[in-house]
Amino acid sequence: DAKTTQPNSMESNEEEPVHLPCNHSTISGTDYIHWYRQLPSQGPEYVIHGLTSNVNNRMASLAIAEDRKSSTLILHRATLRDAAVYYCILRAPISNFGNEKLTFGTGTRLTIIP
Amino acid sequence: ETGVTQTPRHLVMGMTNKKSLKCEQHLGHNAMYWYKQSAKKPLELMFVYNFKEQTENNSVPSRFSPECPNSSHLFLHLHTLQPEDSALYLCASSQDYRTGPGANVLTFGAGSRLTVL
């Protein structure tokens, strides 16, 4: 499986934008880029995903480099509730059975400073 | 109730006990997963079920025995566990991609925190 590299930790001030980087230099042409986050004492939750174009949803934006070897998750205005571990994952091709095969790394622990 | 519900949230057991973890999803999904999250380690995929059939077993020791009686329920039966099996066990579900859109997303439960003494 293609791997991702993320910083172990980041800090950001409350109410400021946060840019979480992810490197995936061995990404294949069919790999989607997924982001999940795990709040304290919770299971991971889906944030956003994309293939080639930048994507926006109510939670965040995903900026994908033109060569797809890196991407950035953007939280436009961080709140204390955004403190979590953020995982950047390359989604391997769907198995023949139709299920997801997501391989989680160690992620980036985001701390929000009030 | 919506989402993925796991019970119990916390479990302490001895190495000779037999216990079970339960997962229930109310999302109409038909793929269900067990993940293990040990301290300071990434999530590890354990088992996958599609339409009640096991489609993935990621070389999990036989002391972990999954059961999927229907597409909404998933169990993990535990017996003769070791202290190193202490971890957060996470259940997730997703829509089988062959049945329609929205297959890209895993929905996780809050997990069952297991301590083996």
Side-chain angles (χ1 to χ4, degrees):
Chain A
D1 290 342
K3 291 188 64 175
T4 63
T5 304
Q6 299 177 254
N8 288 333
S9 63
M10 290 183 63
E11 288 185 349
S12 180
N13 294 320
E14 192 178 11
E15 299 187 6
E16 290 188 356
V18 182
H19 291 236
L20 295 161
C22 181
N23 288 321
H24 29 78
S25 58
T26 59
I27 190 171
S28 75
T30 55
D31 284 342
Y32 278 78
I33 302 158
H34 282 231
W35 283 82
Y36 282 72
R37 71 179 186 180
Q38 188 170 17
L39 303 170
S41 302
Q42 297 291 324
E45 66 173 340
Y46 166 80
V47 177
I48 200 166
H49 76 278
L51 183 62
T52 56
S53 303
N54 295 343
V55 184
N56 300 295
N57 67 21
R58 63 174 181 82
M59 290 181 71
S61 295
L62 176 60
I64 301 173
E66 196 168 334
D67 63 5
R68 301 210 327 125
K69 293 187 176 182
S70 66
S71 60
T72 302
L73 179 71
I74 303 165
L75 307 179
H76 294 286
R77 191 166 166 272
T79 70
L80 295 177
R81 289 179 296 178
D82 291 319
V85 178
Y86 286 78
Y87 299 99
C88 170
I89 304 162
L90 297 184
R91 172 170 162 260
I94 291 284
S95 77
N96 290 334
F97 302 101
N99 57 55
E100 298 290 337
K101 292 170 68 73
L102 296 183
T103 301
F104 286 77
T106 52
T108 297
R109 182 173 298 278
L110 176 65
T111 300
I112 305 298
I113 302 168
Chain B
E1 194 170 347
T2 59
V4 179
T5 304
Q6 291 188 243
T7 54
R9 290 294 308 276
H10 299 272
L11 177 63
V12 179
M13 61 186 289
M15 289 190 286
T16 58
N17 291 159
K18 289 184 180 181
K19 297 285 185 184
S20 296
L21 305 180
K22 178 183 176 182
C23 176
E24 185 174 1
Q25 58 95 1
H26 305 273
L27 300 167
H29 291 166
N30 37 46
M32 296 189 76
Y33 311 72
W34 280 116
Y35 277 85
K36 175 184 178 182
Q37 187 172 34
S38 303
K40 310 223 186 268
K41 291 176 70 175
L43 275 78
E44 303 170 58
L45 179 64
M46 300 175 72
F47 301 103
V48 183
Y49 279 81
N50 282 78
F51 293 98
K52 304 187 299 178
E53 299 299 320
Q54 186 180 118
T55 53
E56 300 274 345
N57 177 339
N58 205 21
S59 303
V60 180
S62 60
R63 58 185 183 271
F64 295 91
S65 175
E67 179 190 0
C68 190
N70 55 59
S71 292
S72 298
H73 294 85
L74 185 64
F75 295 89
L76 188 62
H77 303 300
L78 316 168
H79 63 97
T80 328
L81 293 192
Q82 305 298 311
E84 58 264 30
D85 296 322
S86 299
L88 181 68
Y89 289 86
L90 291 157
C91 173
S93 69
S94 71
Q95 182 69 12
D96 184 306
Y97 83 103
R98 295 167 296 183
T99 61
N104 307 53
V105 176
L106 284 178
T107 302
F108 283 84
S112 293
R113 172 77 57 192
L114 173 68
T115 302
V116 182
L117 301 177

